[in-house]
Amino acid sequence: DLGMSDSQVARAIAKQPSLLGCSIEANLKPTLQWLKDLGMSDSLVAKAIAKQPSLLGFSVENHLQPTLQWLKDSGMDESKGKKTIAQFPNLLSLNIEANLKPKLQWLKDLG
């Protein structure tokens, strides 16, 4: 139990109705466990899911873990990683090649 209120759950489903079609065992539980394994508290996990419910539909192995690793390799402070993910969970939903790499390169080019 993450402690999400009924209204938070309703908003998450309204934002991402496809969650109702996700497998509990194959999608939802593994993603929640992965976020907890990062050291996120239940309240931080709930905050991230409330902001970006689509996270629950991503594959941990094929999307979430590689994206997090890329963010770390690109300079995301590991000690602040949990808080960053809770505040900006959409970072984990972005495609590395199509979104993250070009934006990081553009910012570096500004320097």
Side-chain angles (χ1 to χ4, degrees):
D1 181 25
L2 297 176
M4 290 179 73
S5 69
D6 288 346
S7 64
Q8 285 178 308
V9 172
R11 280 195 306 271
I13 292 170
K15 281 183 173 178
Q16 196 69 33
S18 62
L19 289 177
L20 295 175
C22 288
S23 165
I24 292 171
E25 297 302 322
N27 297 97
L28 305 178
K29 282 185 178 180
T31 302
L32 288 177
Q33 189 59 53
W34 180 77
L35 291 167
K36 289 179 178 185
D37 289 347
L38 294 177
M40 293 177 71
S41 66
D42 285 352
S43 63
L44 284 180
V45 171
K47 182 177 179 179
I49 297 305
K51 285 185 176 183
Q52 191 72 31
S54 65
L55 288 180
L56 292 174
F58 286 106
S59 164
V60 170
E61 296 81 18
N62 296 324
H63 187 85
L64 296 174
Q65 185 59 43
T67 302
L68 179 61
Q69 189 58 53
W70 186 87
L71 290 167
K72 288 178 181 178
D73 293 346
S74 297
M76 184 178 81
D77 185 345
E78 239 179 291
S79 67
K80 296 179 184 174
K82 294 178 282 195
K83 190 173 183 178
T84 300
I85 290 168
Q87 289 179 323
F88 307 104
N90 62 313
L91 286 174
L92 292 177
S93 69
L94 297 173
N95 181 283
I96 294 170
E97 296 298 325
N99 294 299
L100 295 172
K101 278 186 181 180
K103 288 174 184 155
L104 181 61
Q105 187 58 52
W106 183 81
L107 289 169
K108 286 181 177 179
D109 292 346
L110 288 178

